[in-house]
Amino acid sequence: LTSLLSMKKIIKIILIIVFSLLILWFLIRLISPREIDDFSPGISCENETKYVKKSEYLWVIPKIQDNKISENPEWCKEILSLNKTLGMHGISHTYHEFELKNISQEELNFGIKEFEKCFGYAPRLFKPPYLHINKQNKKLITQNNLILKYRFNQAIHKVYHCNNSGTLDNKIINWF
């Protein structure tokens, strides 16, 4: 009987800890800056304007298919005028681009140069597409003085997607 009572106390303590951690996580997400992924002139964000306004960080894709961001100077000016923190989100945002393929320095340089041509400065922040990156590419990113943001960053921030293309609907992310 005593061991049963002890087990109930342990379970109760574990449940209190788990519940407390969930509340803490929710509060951190509530006060953390918001972000929006998949920003590019090739991806419509018109329906997501309210989320763009709420977001402090915009994760920009330097090239979608054959469209380079630097080829759209009006878009570049418009994004700069929003006065947001901009980061690079892959190079062309292909499926697991930074996990399944070892990116060369030349490929990364291309993405950095596109970002720089568009915004007038090199990116300081980097988030891999789909939040997947292999060890070699992590090393390449840090060697180029880019600050890598991915899974933990995604867990503590509300991250919306242009064209509502994320795993969860932007309305659900906004609520949670």
Side-chain angles (χ1 to χ4, degrees), residues 39 57-63 68-71 75-77 79-80 84-91 107-127 146:
F39 226 79
Y57 292 84
L58 305 178
W59 293 98
V60 178
I61 304 166
K63 179 184 172 194
K68 302 172 191 172
I69 57 174
S70 67
E71 293 173 345
W75 182 86
C76 297
K77 281 184 200 174
I79 299 311
L80 277 173
K84 308 283 186 178
T85 300
L86 305 176
M88 192 167 126
H89 190 36
I91 298 168
E107 290 170 300
L108 184 61
N109 285 347
F110 169 80
I112 291 169
K113 291 292 181 203
E114 274 304 304
F115 189 101
E116 195 168 6
K117 285 181 200 174
C118 185
F119 302 118
Y121 63 91
R124 293 189 22 83
L125 303 171
F126 181 86
K127 185 192 288 190
L146 292 165

Short mmCIF file of all heavy atoms in Angstrom, two decimals, residues 39 57-63 68-71 75-77 79-80 84-91 107-127 146:
data_model
loop_
_atom_site.label_atom_id
_atom_site.label_comp_id
_atom_site.label_asym_id
_atom_site.label_seq_id
_atom_site.Cartn_x
_atom_site.Cartn_y
_atom_site.Cartn_z
N PHE A 39 9.20 33.37 -48.05
CA PHE A 39 9.00 34.71 -48.61
C PHE A 39 9.78 34.81 -49.91
O PHE A 39 10.99 34.63 -49.94
CB PHE A 39 9.48 35.76 -47.60
CG PHE A 39 8.51 36.88 -47.44
CD1 PHE A 39 7.39 36.72 -46.66
CD2 PHE A 39 8.72 38.08 -48.08
CE1 PHE A 39 6.47 37.75 -46.52
CE2 PHE A 39 7.82 39.11 -47.94
CZ PHE A 39 6.69 38.95 -47.16
N TYR A 57 10.20 38.61 -38.28
CA TYR A 57 11.19 37.98 -39.14
C TYR A 57 10.53 37.51 -40.43
O TYR A 57 9.45 36.92 -40.39
CB TYR A 57 11.81 36.75 -38.46
CG TYR A 57 12.68 37.08 -37.28
CD1 TYR A 57 12.13 37.26 -36.02
CD2 TYR A 57 14.05 37.18 -37.42
CE1 TYR A 57 12.92 37.56 -34.93
CE2 TYR A 57 14.86 37.47 -36.33
CZ TYR A 57 14.28 37.66 -35.09
OH TYR A 57 15.08 37.95 -34.02
N LEU A 58 11.21 37.73 -41.56
CA LEU A 58 10.78 37.22 -42.86
C LEU A 58 11.90 36.34 -43.39
O LEU A 58 13.04 36.78 -43.51
CB LEU A 58 10.49 38.36 -43.84
CG LEU A 58 9.49 39.43 -43.40
CD1 LEU A 58 9.37 40.50 -44.48
CD2 LEU A 58 8.15 38.81 -43.09
N TRP A 59 11.58 35.09 -43.70
CA TRP A 59 12.57 34.14 -44.21
C TRP A 59 12.43 34.08 -45.73
O TRP A 59 11.45 33.57 -46.26
CB TRP A 59 12.37 32.78 -43.56
CG TRP A 59 12.70 32.83 -42.10
CD1 TRP A 59 11.83 32.97 -41.06
CD2 TRP A 59 14.00 32.80 -41.53
NE1 TRP A 59 12.53 33.02 -39.87
CE2 TRP A 59 13.85 32.91 -40.12
CE3 TRP A 59 15.29 32.68 -42.05
CZ2 TRP A 59 14.94 32.90 -39.25
CZ3 TRP A 59 16.36 32.67 -41.17
CH2 TRP A 59 16.19 32.77 -39.80
N VAL A 60 13.45 34.61 -46.42
CA VAL A 60 13.41 34.83 -47.86
C VAL A 60 14.13 33.71 -48.61
O VAL A 60 15.24 33.31 -48.25
CB VAL A 60 14.08 36.18 -48.20
CG1 VAL A 60 14.11 36.43 -49.69
CG2 VAL A 60 13.37 37.32 -47.47
N ILE A 61 13.49 33.25 -49.68
CA ILE A 61 14.07 32.25 -50.58
C ILE A 61 14.70 33.01 -51.75
O ILE A 61 14.00 33.71 -52.48
CB ILE A 61 12.99 31.28 -51.10
CG1 ILE A 61 12.25 30.63 -49.93
CG2 ILE A 61 13.62 30.22 -52.00
CD1 ILE A 61 10.97 29.92 -50.33
N PRO A 62 16.03 32.89 -51.95
CA PRO A 62 16.70 33.66 -53.01
C PRO A 62 16.27 33.33 -54.44
O PRO A 62 16.29 34.19 -55.31
CB PRO A 62 18.18 33.34 -52.81
CG PRO A 62 18.29 32.91 -51.40
CD PRO A 62 17.00 32.21 -51.09
N LYS A 63 15.87 32.07 -54.69
CA LYS A 63 15.51 31.68 -56.05
C LYS A 63 14.43 30.61 -56.02
O LYS A 63 14.61 29.56 -55.40
CB LYS A 63 16.75 31.14 -56.78
CG LYS A 63 16.49 30.68 -58.19
CD LYS A 63 17.74 30.08 -58.79
CE LYS A 63 17.43 29.45 -60.12
NZ LYS A 63 18.50 28.59 -60.58
N LYS A 68 14.87 34.68 -59.74
CA LYS A 68 15.77 35.19 -58.71
C LYS A 68 15.15 36.42 -58.08
O LYS A 68 14.56 37.24 -58.78
CB LYS A 68 17.11 35.56 -59.34
CG LYS A 68 17.79 34.43 -60.04
CD LYS A 68 19.02 34.95 -60.78
CE LYS A 68 19.59 33.91 -61.71
NZ LYS A 68 20.64 34.48 -62.55
N ILE A 69 15.31 36.57 -56.77
CA ILE A 69 14.70 37.72 -56.10
C ILE A 69 15.28 39.04 -56.61
O ILE A 69 14.58 40.04 -56.68
CB ILE A 69 14.80 37.64 -54.55
CG1 ILE A 69 16.24 37.50 -54.08
CG2 ILE A 69 13.93 36.53 -54.02
CD1 ILE A 69 16.42 37.56 -52.57
N SER A 70 16.55 39.03 -57.01
CA SER A 70 17.19 40.28 -57.47
C SER A 70 16.59 40.77 -58.79
O SER A 70 16.77 41.93 -59.15
CB SER A 70 18.69 40.09 -57.63
OG SER A 70 18.98 39.19 -58.68
N GLU A 71 15.88 39.91 -59.50
CA GLU A 71 15.26 40.31 -60.77
C GLU A 71 13.95 41.06 -60.55
O GLU A 71 13.30 41.45 -61.51
CB GLU A 71 15.02 39.07 -61.64
CG GLU A 71 16.30 38.42 -62.12
CD GLU A 71 16.08 37.10 -62.84
OE1 GLU A 71 14.97 36.53 -62.75
OE2 GLU A 71 17.04 36.64 -63.49
N TRP A 75 9.88 44.51 -55.68
CA TRP A 75 9.58 43.62 -54.55
C TRP A 75 10.63 43.80 -53.45
O TRP A 75 10.29 43.91 -52.28
CB TRP A 75 9.52 42.16 -55.02
CG TRP A 75 9.17 41.19 -53.94
CD1 TRP A 75 7.93 40.83 -53.52
CD2 TRP A 75 10.09 40.45 -53.13
NE1 TRP A 75 8.00 39.91 -52.50
CE2 TRP A 75 9.33 39.65 -52.24
CE3 TRP A 75 11.48 40.36 -53.06
CZ2 TRP A 75 9.89 38.80 -51.31
CZ3 TRP A 75 12.05 39.50 -52.13
CH2 TRP A 75 11.27 38.74 -51.26
N CYS A 76 11.90 43.85 -53.85
CA CYS A 76 13.00 44.04 -52.88
C CYS A 76 12.80 45.32 -52.08
O CYS A 76 12.92 45.32 -50.85
CB CYS A 76 14.34 44.06 -53.60
SG CYS A 76 14.78 42.52 -54.44
N LYS A 77 12.48 46.42 -52.79
CA LYS A 77 12.25 47.71 -52.11
C LYS A 77 11.07 47.61 -51.15
O LYS A 77 11.11 48.13 -50.04
CB LYS A 77 11.97 48.81 -53.13
CG LYS A 77 13.17 49.37 -53.80
CD LYS A 77 12.74 50.53 -54.70
CE LYS A 77 13.77 50.82 -55.75
NZ LYS A 77 13.32 51.82 -56.72
N ILE A 79 9.85 44.97 -49.63
CA ILE A 79 10.18 44.15 -48.46
C ILE A 79 11.09 44.94 -47.51
O ILE A 79 10.88 44.92 -46.30
CB ILE A 79 10.84 42.82 -48.89
CG1 ILE A 79 9.88 42.01 -49.76
CG2 ILE A 79 11.30 42.02 -47.68
CD1 ILE A 79 8.48 41.84 -49.24
N LEU A 80 12.06 45.65 -48.04
CA LEU A 80 12.92 46.48 -47.19
C LEU A 80 12.12 47.55 -46.46
O LEU A 80 12.41 47.86 -45.30
CB LEU A 80 14.03 47.15 -48.03
CG LEU A 80 15.25 46.29 -48.30
CD1 LEU A 80 16.18 47.00 -49.28
CD2 LEU A 80 16.00 45.95 -47.03
N LYS A 84 11.62 44.78 -41.43
CA LYS A 84 11.62 43.51 -40.72
C LYS A 84 13.04 42.94 -40.71
O LYS A 84 13.88 43.35 -41.50
CB LYS A 84 10.69 42.50 -41.41
CG LYS A 84 9.29 43.00 -41.68
CD LYS A 84 8.46 42.98 -40.45
CE LYS A 84 7.00 43.35 -40.76
NZ LYS A 84 6.16 43.32 -39.62
N THR A 85 13.28 41.98 -39.84
CA THR A 85 14.53 41.25 -39.86
C THR A 85 14.41 40.19 -40.95
O THR A 85 13.46 39.41 -40.96
CB THR A 85 14.81 40.57 -38.50
OG1 THR A 85 14.88 41.59 -37.49
CG2 THR A 85 16.10 39.79 -38.52
N LEU A 86 15.37 40.18 -41.87
CA LEU A 86 15.33 39.25 -43.00
C LEU A 86 16.40 38.17 -42.84
O LEU A 86 17.52 38.45 -42.45
CB LEU A 86 15.56 40.00 -44.32
CG LEU A 86 14.63 41.18 -44.59
CD1 LEU A 86 15.05 41.88 -45.88
CD2 LEU A 86 13.19 40.72 -44.67
N GLY A 87 16.03 36.95 -43.16
CA GLY A 87 16.96 35.84 -43.14
C GLY A 87 16.82 35.03 -44.42
O GLY A 87 15.80 35.10 -45.11
N MET A 88 17.85 34.28 -44.73
CA MET A 88 17.85 33.45 -45.93
C MET A 88 17.25 32.09 -45.60
O MET A 88 17.62 31.46 -44.60
CB MET A 88 19.29 33.30 -46.43
CG MET A 88 19.41 32.71 -47.80
SD MET A 88 21.10 32.96 -48.41
CE MET A 88 21.53 31.30 -48.83
N HIS A 89 16.33 31.63 -46.45
CA HIS A 89 15.62 30.37 -46.21
C HIS A 89 15.94 29.40 -47.34
O HIS A 89 15.18 29.24 -48.29
CB HIS A 89 14.12 30.67 -46.14
CG HIS A 89 13.28 29.53 -45.68
ND1 HIS A 89 13.66 28.63 -44.73
CD2 HIS A 89 12.03 29.16 -46.06
CE1 HIS A 89 12.69 27.75 -44.52
NE2 HIS A 89 11.69 28.05 -45.33
N GLY A 90 17.11 28.78 -47.24
CA GLY A 90 17.57 27.89 -48.30
C GLY A 90 18.10 28.70 -49.46
O GLY A 90 18.34 29.90 -49.35
N ILE A 91 18.27 28.03 -50.59
CA ILE A 91 18.70 28.70 -51.81
C ILE A 91 17.54 28.70 -52.80
O ILE A 91 17.11 29.74 -53.27
CB ILE A 91 19.95 28.02 -52.42
CG1 ILE A 91 21.11 28.10 -51.43
CG2 ILE A 91 20.31 28.67 -53.76
CD1 ILE A 91 22.29 27.23 -51.78
N GLU A 107 27.28 27.23 -54.55
CA GLU A 107 25.81 27.28 -54.47
C GLU A 107 25.36 28.21 -53.35
O GLU A 107 24.46 29.03 -53.52
CB GLU A 107 25.22 25.88 -54.24
CG GLU A 107 25.36 24.96 -55.43
CD GLU A 107 24.99 23.53 -55.10
OE1 GLU A 107 25.63 22.93 -54.21
OE2 GLU A 107 24.04 23.01 -55.73
N LEU A 108 26.03 28.11 -52.20
CA LEU A 108 25.69 28.98 -51.08
C LEU A 108 26.01 30.43 -51.42
O LEU A 108 25.21 31.32 -51.14
CB LEU A 108 26.42 28.55 -49.80
CG LEU A 108 26.06 29.33 -48.55
CD1 LEU A 108 24.57 29.18 -48.21
CD2 LEU A 108 26.91 28.87 -47.37
N ASN A 109 27.15 30.64 -52.06
CA ASN A 109 27.53 32.00 -52.48
C ASN A 109 26.47 32.59 -53.41
O ASN A 109 26.16 33.78 -53.31
CB ASN A 109 28.88 32.01 -53.19
CG ASN A 109 30.04 31.86 -52.23
OD1 ASN A 109 29.89 31.99 -51.02
ND2 ASN A 109 31.21 31.55 -52.78
N PHE A 110 25.92 31.78 -54.30
CA PHE A 110 24.88 32.25 -55.21
C PHE A 110 23.69 32.78 -54.40
O PHE A 110 23.19 33.87 -54.64
CB PHE A 110 24.42 31.13 -56.15
CG PHE A 110 23.18 31.49 -56.90
CD1 PHE A 110 23.24 32.30 -58.03
CD2 PHE A 110 21.93 31.06 -56.46
CE1 PHE A 110 22.09 32.65 -58.71
CE2 PHE A 110 20.78 31.41 -57.14
CZ PHE A 110 20.86 32.20 -58.27
N GLY A 111 23.22 32.00 -53.42
CA GLY A 111 22.09 32.42 -52.60
C GLY A 111 22.39 33.69 -51.81
O GLY A 111 21.56 34.61 -51.75
N ILE A 112 23.58 33.75 -51.25
CA ILE A 112 23.99 34.94 -50.48
C ILE A 112 24.04 36.17 -51.39
O ILE A 112 23.57 37.25 -51.03
CB ILE A 112 25.35 34.70 -49.77
CG1 ILE A 112 25.18 33.65 -48.66
CG2 ILE A 112 25.94 35.99 -49.23
CD1 ILE A 112 26.48 33.14 -48.07
N LYS A 113 24.62 36.01 -52.58
CA LYS A 113 24.73 37.14 -53.53
C LYS A 113 23.35 37.61 -54.00
O LYS A 113 23.12 38.81 -54.13
CB LYS A 113 25.58 36.76 -54.75
CG LYS A 113 27.04 36.56 -54.41
CD LYS A 113 27.70 37.85 -54.03
CE LYS A 113 29.16 37.63 -53.73
NZ LYS A 113 29.73 38.64 -52.88
N GLU A 114 22.43 36.68 -54.23
CA GLU A 114 21.07 37.07 -54.63
C GLU A 114 20.42 37.89 -53.52
O GLU A 114 19.78 38.91 -53.79
CB GLU A 114 20.21 35.82 -54.92
CG GLU A 114 20.33 35.30 -56.31
CD GLU A 114 20.01 36.35 -57.35
OE1 GLU A 114 18.91 36.94 -57.32
OE2 GLU A 114 20.87 36.59 -58.22
N PHE A 115 20.56 37.43 -52.30
CA PHE A 115 20.02 38.13 -51.14
C PHE A 115 20.62 39.53 -51.07
O PHE A 115 19.92 40.53 -50.91
CB PHE A 115 20.34 37.34 -49.87
CG PHE A 115 19.67 37.82 -48.63
CD1 PHE A 115 18.54 37.18 -48.14
CD2 PHE A 115 20.18 38.89 -47.90
CE1 PHE A 115 17.91 37.60 -46.98
CE2 PHE A 115 19.57 39.33 -46.74
CZ PHE A 115 18.43 38.68 -46.28
N GLU A 116 21.94 39.59 -51.25
CA GLU A 116 22.66 40.86 -51.16
C GLU A 116 22.28 41.83 -52.30
O GLU A 116 22.10 43.02 -52.08
CB GLU A 116 24.17 40.60 -51.18
CG GLU A 116 25.01 41.74 -50.74
CD GLU A 116 26.45 41.34 -50.51
OE1 GLU A 116 26.84 40.19 -50.79
OE2 GLU A 116 27.20 42.21 -50.02
N LYS A 117 22.12 41.30 -53.50
CA LYS A 117 21.71 42.15 -54.63
C LYS A 117 20.32 42.75 -54.37
O LYS A 117 20.06 43.88 -54.73
CB LYS A 117 21.65 41.33 -55.93
CG LYS A 117 22.97 41.00 -56.55
CD LYS A 117 22.70 40.21 -57.83
CE LYS A 117 23.89 39.40 -58.28
NZ LYS A 117 23.54 38.56 -59.44
N CYS A 118 19.47 41.96 -53.76
CA CYS A 118 18.10 42.40 -53.51
C CYS A 118 18.02 43.41 -52.37
O CYS A 118 17.38 44.45 -52.51
CB CYS A 118 17.23 41.18 -53.19
SG CYS A 118 15.47 41.48 -52.98
N PHE A 119 18.68 43.12 -51.28
CA PHE A 119 18.48 43.92 -50.07
C PHE A 119 19.65 44.84 -49.71
O PHE A 119 19.55 45.65 -48.80
CB PHE A 119 18.17 43.01 -48.88
CG PHE A 119 16.96 42.16 -49.11
CD1 PHE A 119 17.06 40.78 -49.12
CD2 PHE A 119 15.72 42.74 -49.34
CE1 PHE A 119 15.93 39.98 -49.35
CE2 PHE A 119 14.59 41.96 -49.56
CZ PHE A 119 14.70 40.57 -49.57
N GLY A 120 20.77 44.70 -50.41
CA GLY A 120 21.89 45.60 -50.16
C GLY A 120 22.82 45.17 -49.04
O GLY A 120 23.76 45.87 -48.70
N TYR A 121 22.58 44.02 -48.47
CA TYR A 121 23.47 43.47 -47.44
C TYR A 121 23.36 41.95 -47.45
O TYR A 121 22.37 41.38 -47.91
CB TYR A 121 23.12 44.03 -46.05
CG TYR A 121 21.74 43.67 -45.55
CD1 TYR A 121 21.51 42.53 -44.79
CD2 TYR A 121 20.64 44.48 -45.85
CE1 TYR A 121 20.24 42.20 -44.34
CE2 TYR A 121 19.37 44.18 -45.40
CZ TYR A 121 19.18 43.02 -44.64
OH TYR A 121 17.91 42.71 -44.21
N ALA A 122 24.40 41.31 -46.97
CA ALA A 122 24.42 39.84 -46.91
C ALA A 122 23.56 39.36 -45.74
O ALA A 122 23.46 40.05 -44.72
CB ALA A 122 25.85 39.35 -46.75
N PRO A 123 22.96 38.19 -45.87
CA PRO A 123 22.15 37.68 -44.77
C PRO A 123 23.03 37.30 -43.58
O PRO A 123 24.18 36.92 -43.74
CB PRO A 123 21.48 36.43 -45.36
CG PRO A 123 22.40 35.99 -46.44
CD PRO A 123 23.01 37.25 -46.99
N ARG A 124 22.47 37.44 -42.39
CA ARG A 124 23.17 37.01 -41.17
C ARG A 124 22.51 35.75 -40.59
O ARG A 124 23.11 35.01 -39.87
CB ARG A 124 23.16 38.11 -40.12
CG ARG A 124 23.98 39.33 -40.52
CD ARG A 124 24.18 40.37 -39.44
NE ARG A 124 24.03 40.00 -38.06
CZ ARG A 124 24.98 39.41 -37.29
NH1 ARG A 124 26.13 39.13 -37.80
NH2 ARG A 124 24.75 39.14 -36.03
N LEU A 125 21.24 35.56 -40.95
CA LEU A 125 20.47 34.43 -40.42
C LEU A 125 20.16 33.44 -41.54
O LEU A 125 19.94 33.84 -42.68
CB LEU A 125 19.14 34.93 -39.83
CG LEU A 125 19.24 35.98 -38.73
CD1 LEU A 125 17.85 36.53 -38.40
CD2 LEU A 125 19.89 35.40 -37.50
N PHE A 126 20.12 32.18 -41.18
CA PHE A 126 19.82 31.13 -42.17
C PHE A 126 18.91 30.09 -41.55
O PHE A 126 19.14 29.63 -40.43
CB PHE A 126 21.11 30.45 -42.65
CG PHE A 126 20.85 29.39 -43.68
CD1 PHE A 126 20.76 29.72 -45.02
CD2 PHE A 126 20.67 28.07 -43.31
CE1 PHE A 126 20.49 28.76 -45.98
CE2 PHE A 126 20.40 27.10 -44.26
CZ PHE A 126 20.31 27.43 -45.59
N LYS A 127 17.86 29.72 -42.30
CA LYS A 127 16.97 28.64 -41.88
C LYS A 127 16.84 27.67 -43.05
O LYS A 127 16.46 28.07 -44.15
CB LYS A 127 15.58 29.16 -41.50
CG LYS A 127 14.67 28.08 -40.94
CD LYS A 127 13.22 28.50 -40.83
CE LYS A 127 12.95 29.49 -39.75
NZ LYS A 127 11.49 29.69 -39.53
N LEU A 146 26.93 32.54 -40.92
CA LEU A 146 25.48 32.62 -40.88
C LEU A 146 25.00 31.97 -39.59
O LEU A 146 25.51 30.92 -39.19
CB LEU A 146 24.86 31.91 -42.08
CG LEU A 146 25.11 32.56 -43.44
CD1 LEU A 146 24.77 31.61 -44.57
CD2 LEU A 146 24.30 33.83 -43.56
#
